Amino acid sequence: MQQRVAGARAPALGARRAGGLASLRRTRPSQRAQAAATELEVAKPGLVIPKYCESVHQTRRRPTRTVTIGPVKVGSEHPVALQTMTTTDTRDVAATVAQVKKCADAGADIVRITVQGRKEAEACAKIREQLFKDGYDVPLVADIHFQPAVAMMVAEAFEKIRINPGNFADGRKTFDEINYDDPAEFEAERAHIEEVFTPLVLKCKELGRAMRIGTNHGSLSARILSFYGDTPRGMVESAFEFADICRKHDYHNFVFSMKASNPLVMVQAYRLLAEEQYKRGWDYPLHLGVTEAGEGEDGRMKSAIGIGALLMDGLGDTIRVSLTEDPEYEMDPCRRLAALGEAACKEGWGVPAFAETTRDTHAFARRVGALPEQRDGDELDFRPLLHRDGTVFSAVSLSQLAAPEALYRSLGAKLAVGMPFKDIATSDSIFMRQLPEAGDAEGRRALRRLQEVGVHVLAPAAELAARPLPGGVAVMTLAEALAAGGKAPAGAARLALSLDGSETEEQLAAVPSVDAVVALLCTPAGASRVHASRRVFDALKRAGSDLAVLHHVAFPAGSHRDDIVIKTGSWAGGLLVDGLGDGVLVEVEGEDLDFLRTMSFGLLQGSRMRNTKTEYVSCPSCGRTLFDLQEVTEQIRTKTGHLPGVAIAVMGCIVNGPGEMADADFGYVGGAPGKIDLYVGKEVVQRAVPMAEATDALVQLIKDHGRWVDPPAEEEDVAIPTPAPLARQPTRARALPEREQPTPAPRRDLGPPRRPARSRASGAMDRKRSIPHVPSFNDFCSFVEPMELPPLKLAAPGSAPKLARSWSVESDEYTPRSGPPADAPTPRRASFAETLSRALYENMRTN
């Protein structure tokens, strides 16, 4: 249950700034990008948000007309309809009928089937007929690409036709740039689209069929790409060209979709689509989906970020969660998302109206929180408390602290002789509601070891006062911090704020006076997280505060894991897609810590913040797929899953494949049965690679472009052999690069070794007669050779991982948020082995 807000509907929020599309059409592509950058500035105080939903303060369903798809009604007056798509060969009538039944039994309201040719269209009539005979009236949707004639055929049998504006009239996908010096040339080509599309419109109108005008970010036509660029604006205008033809013939039984594999692009495109519908007075329903989301938890998270963000704004009338899994498995996350959106609308989740003036729905720009700085007298390094690309905190309990090594592993740390070391996906800091007692030596030692490697400990100020922890970070409410003069309490090394969204404007305006390193934003049960958080971020920006803010999402014990993923993605991800937030802390009592950590990193990667693993753009499979997509994806993941910052697209066919390369570095695309085409970006570099060789060829392609690193060795407990007594173990001189040879320190002669006595009964060592040698850290250094580090291999300009960026709906130019220039090479991150070797070498050199 979330807070109900009464009151009049928020007034319309004005229109898009002057200049607009008309001025862009009179310019060339490069000039249009510059005009867009000028027109759509980064959000600033005083900005008026164009109306794209009923209210930015409360979830209200956007009013739409009703579209009839057989027995199913889609629109704001009806429940959100659930969809999926078959993966069988459409020509296999029996298999397709069986899969449709399975999907319908799992809860699908609508099922889509790919129809790529005349044989498939002929099979569709048999599929529809057999389903009716078996008592299944679930509406069927024909997925059409490239084939207007096939669409005409299948309209006789199916209740709905999905057409893709990017290829329905323009044919096969190309990236040829067309120079439209005269915008009239661009407009003149609409005549061809109308000629090809009108017969299908008239037939659907005659037969009472529905239609989806479904734009994909990855399959915009060369004509649209040349005029608008690879942008949300291009996606919307592409769909509107087809909608104008429908309206010209008084046909209105259609819905829109704006799908992309990047949730940020997807959200911007749908918002722009809704905004333009408000301006035109249109009320067509929206079909929501993140295309090529992938599989498992990652696919569910990406879908929750994109679909959930829009549902929280009251947008969306039918949804599909596209997973690289069997289609019936899409229904559970689909159902959970729909239920979340419907609850938000029915219960009126929101906050009292406030003047939102800093969020820009056209120009994405991430709010960047300040990072901690080191101070004189600090015994610990506090700079790693937060991460510049997005922070993950983990909530740790006393029971988890009781098993230190298991805790370290759950936090994602590497272990060496039982000591934790930070890795690429290690929790940045931990939050503890209870600290170990002063007499709990083991628990405090475990915390100290974490602190020493940069994993800091946050705890409530009262808990820190009761059980002091050196180097601890005290968490206080804003009211408590202001009452304490804005300083960390005695005994705490730093101060963190706890915000719940109910703070007054005066309190939030005083945040800059508080000496805090981070704020945890945790809205209480009954409050609307998305809307309350928007208010907090708006107030912080107006106050000039750059305090880093993490979304603290707490769930009750026993929460279902799918609910945790869906709600975290919808609530926290729904804010991160607007650039609001610097990370996340997900707290669930009794839940596996490793699951929560990996899910949190998945949220940041899905929100295009912090890359900690290989990114996969993987289509959900359909009848067009030319190989077993699930099996091949797993093969590729097994060989390439250790490459953070690298994006790989795995596409079953060429419908969206080449276009979705826009969001990937390398591509594996089915070109013909048994043959694979390999891509670098949008360019095909190897054609017709035999499928048995394609995965290895992909790996070699990654190596050829300097993006490969060898997978890390499987982590094992380091077995340190017991060395002979120190007098019998000479120190070995080593060739150290660019350094003078150290002079071995003389070691005291301990005499000949004594042989440990053994018990005749058990063979155990007799501790009374001989004490075994316990190797020290320096002994460990004596047989671990220092590693001469290889030269750092720099990535080519432009090949750095795509992290936080800024862009507008009119421009496809990406801008790094901070740091070195965009064309600066990114150095390779040192491996765990290199880091350990350096630490061991420095310890040996100084001791």
Side-chain angles (χ1 to χ4, degrees), residues 378-398:
D378 283 339
E379 294 183 0
L380 299 170
D381 186 358
F382 282 91
R383 290 170 295 181
L385 190 146
L386 301 175
H387 193 284
R388 70 179 296 273
D389 293 319
T391 299
V392 169
F393 283 1
S394 290
V396 174
S397 66
L398 285 178

Side-chain angles (χ1 to χ4, degrees), residues 658-798:
E660 291 301 344
M661 300 302 108
D663 209 41
D665 303 304
F666 303 95
Y668 180 110
V669 180
K675 303 293 183 180
I676 302 299
D677 295 339
L678 298 180
Y679 286 73
V680 176
K682 295 181 178 180
E683 180 183 357
V684 60
V685 294
Q686 295 183 42
R687 292 188 184 275
V689 179
M691 189 170 163
E693 306 169 10
T695 301
D696 290 335
L698 174 64
V699 169
Q700 186 59 49
L701 190 63
I702 297 171
K703 291 179 178 179
D704 293 343
H705 285 75
R707 304 296 298 276
W708 179 267
V709 295
D710 289 331
E714 289 294 324
E715 184 179 339
E716 298 178 356
D717 290 333
V718 180
I720 302 179
T722 301
L726 299 182
R728 293 184 178 273
Q729 182 172 316
T731 302
R732 294 175 289 169
R734 304 173 178 86
L736 302 178
E738 300 181 5
R739 292 184 185 270
E740 295 182 359
Q741 294 295 322
T743 302
R747 297 191 181 233
R748 183 168 59 90
D749 189 348
L750 300 179
R754 292 191 296 172
R755 184 181 301 276
R758 298 279 176 176
S759 166
R760 293 180 180 176
S762 63
M765 184 178 294
D766 185 352
R767 296 182 181 275
K768 293 182 179 180
R769 297 185 58 186
S770 177
I771 299 176
H773 174 77
V774 178
S776 67
F777 192 72
N778 283 340
D779 293 331
F780 184 42
C781 295
S782 71
F783 58 83
V784 176
E785 295 284 351
M787 184 184 300
E788 182 175 354
L789 300 178
L792 293 180
K793 191 171 186 179
L794 302 181

Side-chain angles (χ1 to χ4, degrees), residues 18-32 35 180-184 186-187 227-228:
L21 185 59
S23 64
L24 291 178
R25 283 179 173 166
R26 292 191 295 269
T27 62
R28 298 185 62 169
S30 59
Q31 296 171 319
R32 286 197 296 274
Y180 291 106
D181 289 318
D182 183 359
F186 177 83
E187 295 296 334
F227 196 77
Y228 292 102

Side-chain angles (χ1 to χ4, degrees), residues 73-87:
K73 308 292 185 183
V74 172
S76 59
E77 298 300 317
H78 309 279
V80 174
L82 312 183
Q83 298 200 29
T84 187
M85 185 173 184
T86 59
T87 60

Side-chain angles (χ1 to χ4, degrees), residues 49-243:
I49 300 176
K51 182 175 182 179
Y52 71 89
C53 61
E54 286 297 287
S55 172
V56 296
H57 317 114
Q58 186 181 12
T59 302
R60 295 178 185 159
R61 186 92 175 257
R62 168 181 166 264
T64 73
R65 68 175 64 231
T66 294
V67 168
T68 302
I69 309 168
V72 174
K73 308 292 185 183
V74 172
S76 59
E77 298 300 317
H78 309 279
V80 174
L82 312 183
Q83 298 200 29
T84 187
M85 185 173 184
T86 59
T87 60
T88 55
D89 184 341
T90 306
R91 290 171 295 180
D92 188 339
V93 174
T96 303
V97 167
Q99 195 169 70
V100 170
K101 290 180 182 179
K102 190 179 293 186
C103 293
D105 292 342
D109 298 308
I110 303 167
V111 178
R112 181 160 42 119
I113 299 174
T114 189
V115 188
Q116 60 265 51
R118 292 182 177 274
K119 291 183 179 179
E120 287 79 9
E122 292 168 358
C124 286
K126 299 176 183 178
I127 292 169
R128 178 72 280 174
E129 181 183 1
Q130 186 61 49
L131 285 168
F132 278 146
K133 287 181 179 178
D134 293 345
Y136 284 81
D137 63 351
V138 56
L140 301 181
V141 183
D143 193 57
I144 301 294
H145 298 271
F146 312 118
Q147 298 281 0
V150 172
M152 294 289 289
M153 291 178 61
V154 79
E156 298 282 351
F158 281 9
E159 288 80 4
K160 182 180 175 183
I161 307 296
R162 180 269 170 128
I163 62 101
N164 183 341
N167 57 39
F168 186 82
D170 288 8
R172 294 284 169 174
K173 179 71 179 176
T174 68
F175 294 99
D176 298 333
E177 182 169 337
I178 306 168
N179 192 356
Y180 291 106
D181 289 318
D182 183 359
E185 298 177 23
F186 177 83
E187 295 296 334
E189 293 186 5
R190 287 195 181 211
H192 172 66
I193 296 174
E194 185 166 357
E195 179 183 351
V196 173
F197 184 50
T198 296
L200 179 62
V201 171
L202 296 177
K203 186 153 196 172
C204 288
K205 180 180 179 181
E206 175 190 353
L207 298 177
R209 305 307 191 200
M211 187 184 296
R212 169 160 69 96
I213 302 174
T215 304
N216 269 29
H217 183 234
S219 57
L220 294 175
S221 67
R223 172 174 169 273
I224 290 293
L225 284 171
S226 299
F227 196 77
Y228 292 102
D230 193 9
T231 64
R233 172 63 65 182
M235 295 171 68
V236 172
E237 294 298 327
S238 178
F240 278 6
E241 287 185 338
F242 284 74

Side-chain angles (χ1 to χ4, degrees), residues 353-664:
F354 63 95
E356 187 179 19
T357 59
T358 62
R359 186 169 60 101
D360 193 335
T361 58
H362 283 185
F364 174 85
R366 188 169 300 285
R367 177 188 183 273
V368 181
L371 298 175
E373 296 179 351
Q374 198 68 1
R375 301 173 183 172
D376 292 339
D378 283 339
E379 294 183 0
L380 299 170
D381 186 358
F382 282 91
R383 290 170 295 181
L385 190 146
L386 301 175
H387 193 284
R388 70 179 296 273
D389 293 319
T391 299
V392 169
F393 283 1
S394 290
V396 174
S397 66
L398 285 178
S399 61
Q400 291 166 326
L401 192 62
E405 289 199 12
L407 172 63
Y408 301 153
R409 295 179 193 276
S410 294
L411 293 174
K414 290 283 189 179
L415 292 184
V417 289
M419 300 288 289
F421 287 82
K422 258 191 172 180
D423 197 28
I424 190 171
T426 304
S427 299
D428 297 292
S429 295
I430 64 174
F431 173 72
M432 297 192 71
R433 293 192 179 275
Q434 289 181 289
L435 292 172
E437 298 288 348
D440 184 357
E442 286 295 323
R444 289 186 168 258
R445 183 182 300 113
L447 291 181
R448 188 64 181 181
R449 286 177 175 174
L450 288 172
Q451 290 175 311
E452 288 173 347
V453 296
V455 180
H456 288 279
V457 181
L458 291 79
E463 183 68 13
L464 267 178
R467 299 170 183 83
L469 178 72
V473 179
V475 179
M476 305 176 71
T477 66
L478 180 55
E480 291 171 342
L482 292 174
K487 302 295 182 184
R494 293 289 192 277
L495 171 64
L497 291 180
S498 176
L499 306 176
D500 65 7
S502 66
E503 293 80 10
T504 66
E505 292 292 323
E506 293 74 17
Q507 287 176 321
L508 292 172
V511 166
S513 67
V514 178
D515 185 22
V517 292
V518 66
L520 304 179
L521 180 51
C522 185
T523 56
S528 175
R529 172 173 290 276
V530 170
H531 302 94
S533 298
R534 284 176 182 170
R535 172 182 167 273
V536 168
F537 281 107
D538 196 85
L540 291 179
K541 190 160 188 176
R542 283 187 276 108
S545 172
D546 62 354
L547 178 65
V549 179
L550 267 63
H551 298 291
H552 183 179
V553 188
F555 292 91
S559 295
H560 194 285
R561 284 191 174 184
D562 282 349
D563 272 339
I564 296 171
V565 172
I566 295 298
K567 291 180 179 178
T568 300
S570 299
W571 293 338
L575 293 158
L576 295 176
V577 294
D578 280 322
L580 303 179
D582 299 275
V584 66
L585 162 60
V586 181
E587 184 179 10
V588 188
E589 183 181 351
E591 185 53 84
D592 179 62
L593 189 58
D594 184 65
F595 162 74
L596 297 176
R597 175 185 61 84
T598 56
M599 183 200 68
S600 298
F601 277 110
L603 169 68
L604 297 188
Q605 184 151 328
S607 301
R608 294 304 193 265
M609 291 178 68
R610 181 176 176 182
N611 285 328
T612 53
K613 55 189 173 184
T614 310
E615 177 78 11
Y616 294 98
V617 180
S618 178
C619 77
S621 184
C622 68
R624 296 175 184 268
T625 303
L626 298 170
F627 51 82
D628 188 326
L629 197 66
Q630 295 182 43
E631 179 181 338
V632 170
T633 300
E634 184 57 33
Q635 291 175 1
I636 294 174
R637 189 185 300 275
T638 299
K639 292 194 175 184
T640 64
H642 63 287
L643 302 172
V646 174
I648 299 174
V650 185
M651 300 290 166
C653 67
I654 62 171
V655 169
N656 294 321
E660 291 301 344
M661 300 302 108
D663 209 41

